[in-house]
């Protein structure tokens, strides 16, 4: 009992520095809301019956947000409740998230869950395709010298190239041959998650050293036994590291894939809609929704990583 | 049908040459290990050209490599203007700003063990988030010119560089730090002479990851609003006009810029961390 409680306490203490940093970020954000929105709030107050100094809107424009807020303490509270703020406060974003995630039926088009699913399904499909192909190519590279020599340099170089710039073209290209909806976005996601997996898996499959490979040879193990019993297990830590990179790349790919075509649903579409129709809260909620989704995906992979490595008798590299 | 036969023949020929080269005894010389991927790339381009020409693929689906090359050569001034706007102004300015900010925060955090332990997990977490989504917000705040792109790039490159710098500054052994203390070195001398040099491999790892992020941020942010120049602008408008040869030409520019940027960083790394095992 005591031991378990001690572990809990230690886990809790380990979180405190991180939580402090998060709290500091939230505090800076909350404070920044006042100067960022001061002009909007002052304009609105002036339209109402509150006296704002200076009176002329042109004079107010010349002042910085901080000075304006200092001269008009009355508008400070208003900066936190604007309907279309330049910088929404944390509680506004949280409120919008709550409203669109929990207080709206998931089938409704206004529900963020609906949009999350549209983006997530493309992400997961693309991630599955990209990872499978990546692992297959890595196996090919490790066992075939010609493939290694001719493909591997390209796989490494491609990581220095902003592949994401291809996204609009892939969407239009596939659209013009009649493929629409989920698949084009998935292909972008697959493409983005493909190369990190190839590079990581090649490194992982090559990680057993000469001694271990020699040992298997003395057991007269054949190539496939060497693969299943040594190379594949040894590559697991590398695989999970690249999977975590790959899934966040896949999510970014799906979101960017929604931008150029004017997609109607998905995180990217919500960001665009909020941007074009002057609804900053929609954009911010979509942004945080995407961030939370990415965090959950990486978190799930870390959990699987820890379980798998523990079962294999390896400690997870945190 | 013939098109596929030709393509297959080209593939077989390219593969045969590469297989011979890869299994020859000169395979590990510098020249041959550059020639093999070059031949592979040429094989792909040739197959692409043959398939597109013989199957008469419409240029609005996939233009042939030669058409792309012609477009590239004939519109160099336009491409150069886009390059200046997106890479030299947006990406590079943002990269430098993000890098400086990350260094400053890392050095401040480094003074306190508590902050270091807080920033590492939070920073690593933020680096995995789709930060490129902040683009519409920055475009609204800073206007559609390059300043907003620089801001997006700055935020995107900040976290990987921060995490790597903080981790790098921790990468000295107690023995080494004790040695500095016996020399009577205070915080600054031991930072400048021991811990910063020891952190360089980590810092350059972050700087290299950030080069690609910078280009992605600068290009994608232009999809949310830009003046009538820039690579992201050109890509999205050319896609709208179905001028795919122009899009491909921009992608060639992006690829060249990305490789050059990364290559430059790798080169500086080589000069700075010549002592590290991975560079010898």
């Amino acid at each position: 009992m005591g031991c378990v409680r001690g572990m809990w306490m230690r886990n809790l203490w380990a979180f405190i520095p991180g939580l402090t940093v998060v709290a500091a970020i939230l505090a800076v954000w909350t404070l920044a809301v006042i100067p960022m929105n001061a002009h909007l709030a002052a304009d609105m107050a002036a339209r109402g019956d509150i006296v704002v100094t200076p009176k002329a809107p042109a004079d107010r424009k010349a002042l910085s947000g901080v000075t304006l807020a200092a001269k008009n303490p009355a508008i400070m509270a208003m900066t936190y409740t604007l309907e279309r703020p330049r910088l929404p406060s944390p509680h506004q974003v949280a409120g919008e998230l709550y409203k669109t995630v929990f207080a709206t039926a998931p089938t409704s088009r206004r529900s963020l869950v609906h949009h999350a699913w549209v983006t997530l399904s493309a992400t997961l499909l693309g991630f599955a395709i990209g990872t499978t192909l990546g692992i297959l190519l890595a196996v090919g590279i490790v066992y075939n010298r010609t493939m290694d020599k001719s493909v591997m340099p390209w796989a490494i170089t491609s990581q220095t190239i902003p592949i994401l710039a291809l996204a609009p073209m892939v969407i239009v290209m596939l659209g013009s041959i009649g493929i629409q909806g989920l698949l084009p976005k998935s292909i972008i996601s697959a493409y983005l998650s493909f190369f990190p997996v190839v590079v990581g898996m090649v490194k992982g499959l090559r990680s057993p050293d000469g001694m271990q490979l020699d040992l298997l040879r003395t057991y007269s193990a054949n190539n496939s036994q060497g693969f299943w019993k040594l190379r594949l297990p040894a590559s697991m830590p590398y695989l999970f590291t690249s999977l975590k990179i790959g899934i966040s790349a896949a999510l970014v790919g799906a979101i960017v894939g929604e931008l150029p075509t004017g997609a109607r649903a998905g995180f990217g579409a919500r960001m665009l809609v909020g941007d074009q129709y002057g609804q900053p809260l929609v954009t911010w909620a979509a942004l945080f929704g995407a961030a939370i989704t990415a965090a959950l995906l990486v978190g799930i992979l870390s959990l699987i990583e820890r379980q798998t490595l523990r079962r294999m008798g390896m400690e997870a590299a945190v | 049908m013939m098109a596929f036969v030709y393509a297959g023949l080209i593939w077989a020929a390219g593969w045969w040459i590469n297989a011979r080269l890869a299994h020859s005894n000169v395979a590990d010389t510098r020249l041959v290990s550059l020639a093999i991927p070059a031949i592979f790339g040429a094989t792909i381009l040739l197959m692409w050209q043959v398939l597109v020409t013989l199957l008469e693929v419409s240029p609005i689906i996939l233009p042939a490599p030669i058409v792309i090359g012609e477009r590239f050569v004939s519109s160099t001034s336009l491409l150069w203007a886009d390059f200046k706007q997106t890479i030299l102004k947006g990406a590079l300015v943002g990269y430098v700003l993000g890098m400086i900010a990350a260094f400053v925060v890392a050095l401040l955090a480094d003074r306190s063990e508590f902050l270091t332990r807080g920033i590492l997990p939070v920073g690593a977490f933020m680096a995995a988030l789709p930060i490129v989504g902040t683009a519409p917000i920055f475009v609204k705040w800073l206007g559609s010119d390059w300043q907003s792109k620089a801001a997006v790039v700055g935020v995107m490159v900040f976290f990987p560089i921060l995490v790597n710098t903080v981790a790098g500054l921790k990468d000295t052994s107690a023995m080494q730090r004790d040695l500095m203390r016996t020399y009577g070195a205070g915080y600054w001398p031991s930072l400048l002479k021991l811990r910063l040099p020891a952190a360089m491999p980590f810092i350059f790892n972050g700087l290299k990851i950030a080069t690609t992020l910078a280009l992605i941020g600068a290009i994608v942010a232009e999809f949310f609003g830009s003046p009538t120049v820039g690579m992201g602008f050109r890509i999205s408008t050319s896609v709208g006009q179905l001028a795919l040869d122009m899009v491909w030409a921009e992608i060639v520019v992006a690829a060249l810029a990305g490789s050059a940027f990364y290559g430059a960083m790798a080169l500086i790394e080589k000069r700075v961390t010549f002592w590290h095992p991975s560079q010898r």
Side-chain angles (χ1 to χ4, degrees):
Chain A
M1 269 306 272
C3 177
V4 170
R5 197 144 118 224
M7 226 168 74
W8 268 107
M9 289 299 284
R10 218 167 329 132
N11 278 344
L12 210 63
W13 278 114
F15 278 119
I16 289 199
L19 288 178
T20 316
V21 170
V22 172
I25 293 173
L26 281 179
V28 171
W29 177 4
T30 310
L31 279 178
V33 169
I34 298 176
M36 285 297 282
N37 294 336
H39 289 90
L40 287 173
D43 290 349
M44 224 174 85
R47 254 177 274 136
D49 289 333
I50 306 166
V51 181
V52 185
T53 51
K55 248 188 169 147
D59 292 341
R60 286 204 295 269
K61 225 170 201 166
L63 291 180
S64 76
V66 179
T67 348
L68 189 63
K71 282 191 176 180
N72 305 284
I75 64 166
M76 273 193 204
M78 286 178 64
T79 58
Y80 286 96
T81 51
L82 293 173
E83 203 180 319
R84 295 179 171 185
R86 277 180 82 197
L87 174 65
S89 73
H91 83 269
Q92 280 178 307
V93 176
E96 175 78 12
L97 271 177
Y98 178 82
K99 198 178 86 191
T100 49
V101 172
F102 297 107
T104 317
T107 46
S108 155
R109 294 193 39 82
R110 315 187 85 171
S111 160
L112 204 57
V113 179
H114 164 73
H115 293 285
W117 175 243
V118 170
T119 303
L120 191 64
S121 50
T123 305
L124 292 179
L125 179 62
F127 179 68
I129 299 173
T131 317
T132 315
L133 291 179
I135 293 174
L136 288 179
L137 184 65
V139 173
I141 285 176
V142 168
Y143 280 100
N144 184 325
R145 198 170 154 75
T146 313
M147 222 166 179
D148 174 25
K149 285 272 176 185
S150 41
V151 181
M152 197 57 192
W154 288 106
I156 294 173
T157 314
S158 71
Q159 294 201 306
T160 69
I161 297 171
I163 301 174
L164 211 55
L166 285 165
M169 194 186 53
V170 173
I171 302 270
V172 169
M173 213 167 94
L174 292 175
S176 65
I177 51 175
I179 302 174
Q180 273 166 348
L182 195 66
L183 201 59
K185 286 191 278 172
S186 304
I187 287 177
I188 297 168
S189 293
Y191 203 57
L192 286 176
S193 51
F194 174 69
F195 290 107
V197 171
V198 172
V199 175
M201 265 314 262
V202 168
K203 222 187 249 175
L205 290 173
R206 291 223 171 107
S207 64
D209 57 25
M211 192 96 83
Q212 293 167 315
L213 291 169
D214 281 346
L215 180 66
L216 279 199
R217 214 161 300 140
T218 63
Y219 292 162
S220 81
N222 58 25
N223 256 351
S224 88
Q225 283 170 325
F227 177 76
W228 291 110
K229 294 201 188 321
L230 176 61
R231 285 188 190 267
L232 192 65
S235 70
M236 281 302 126
Y238 295 85
L239 174 65
F240 278 110
T241 311
S242 4
L243 287 184
K244 284 191 278 188
I245 298 172
I247 194 123
S248 46
L251 184 66
V252 173
I255 292 174
V256 173
E258 286 163 356
L259 298 180
T261 46
R264 300 241 176 78
F267 283 133
R270 288 303 273 179
M271 286 175 195
L272 218 52
V273 164
D275 188 42
Q276 284 164 352
Y277 295 96
Q279 292 172 304
L281 283 181
V282 172
T283 304
W284 280 82
L287 180 62
F288 273 82
I292 293 167
T293 311
L296 284 178
L297 291 175
V298 174
I300 291 171
L301 279 177
S302 303
L303 218 66
I304 300 175
E305 175 185 26
R306 199 167 305 168
Q307 288 297 323
T308 312
L309 294 190
R310 188 172 294 162
R311 283 204 177 179
M312 292 172 53
M314 297 192 224
E315 270 310 310
V318 181
Chain B
M1 200 50 224
M2 275 320 276
F4 289 108
V5 175
Y6 285 131
L9 283 177
I10 294 169
W11 174 261
W15 195 258
W16 182 76
I17 296 173
N18 270 349
R20 288 295 296 270
L21 280 177
H23 290 94
S24 67
N25 46 11
V26 289
D28 292 322
T29 57
R30 205 178 156 73
L31 190 69
V32 175
S33 52
L34 280 177
I36 295 175
I39 292 171
F40 183 75
T43 310
I44 300 277
L45 279 184
L46 207 58
M47 279 170 64
W48 177 354
Q49 179 72 40
V50 166
L51 282 177
V52 168
T53 320
L54 292 184
L55 294 177
E56 289 167 358
V57 176
S58 156
I60 57 170
I61 294 176
L62 189 66
I66 289 178
V67 177
I68 297 167
E70 277 168 358
R71 168 64 73 168
F72 187 91
V73 173
S74 68
S75 44
T76 34
S77 62
L78 196 65
L79 293 173
W80 173 246
D82 292 343
F83 174 80
K84 269 199 305 199
Q85 170 76 16
T86 304
I87 309 289
L88 296 186
K89 289 182 186 163
L92 221 53
V93 172
Y95 185 83
V96 171
L97 289 180
M99 179 175 77
I100 293 173
F103 287 163
V104 169
V105 174
L107 284 178
L108 288 179
D110 178 56
R111 309 285 316 233
S112 131
E113 168 74 9
F114 184 78
L115 269 184
T116 311
R117 280 201 301 159
I119 279 180
L120 271 179
V122 176
F125 174 73
M126 297 287 279
L129 299 185
I131 296 182
V132 78
T134 55
I137 294 163
F138 280 114
V139 170
K140 197 132 263 177
W141 286 353
L142 300 171
S144 57
D145 208 354
W146 61 270
Q147 288 88 346
S148 56
K149 281 63 192 181
V152 176
V153 171
V155 179
M156 276 179 82
V157 304
F158 177 75
F159 292 103
I161 300 180
L162 174 71
V163 170
N164 276 287
T165 310
V166 171
L169 286 173
K170 281 173 70 174
D171 192 52
T172 46
S173 66
M175 191 88 90
Q176 293 168 320
R177 287 192 301 270
D178 281 349
L179 181 67
M180 291 307 275
R181 215 167 295 137
T182 61
Y183 290 161
Y187 173 79
W188 286 104
S190 68
L191 178 73
L192 290 177
K193 296 222 161 77
L194 168 67
R195 300 179 54 227
L196 219 45
M200 280 302 160
F202 287 82
I203 294 176
F204 273 101
N205 188 23
L207 289 178
K208 284 194 290 188
I209 295 172
T211 55
T212 321
L213 288 178
L215 298 199
I216 289 177
I219 294 173
V220 172
E222 284 180 5
F223 296 160
F224 284 98
S226 67
T228 53
V229 63
M231 296 168 69
F233 166 79
R234 194 78 56 208
I235 288 174
S236 54
T237 47
S238 299
V239 161
Q241 297 159 354
L242 295 178
L244 285 199
D245 49 348
M246 192 67 211
V247 180
W248 278 100
E250 289 286 357
I251 286 167
V252 172
V253 175
L256 291 177
S259 312
F261 198 179
Y262 188 93
M265 275 299 148
L267 214 66
I268 301 174
E269 179 186 24
K270 213 166 195 160
R271 300 296 287 274
V272 174
T273 64
F274 60 90
W275 47 269
H276 195 260
S278 67
Q279 300 293 340
R280 280 183 294 187

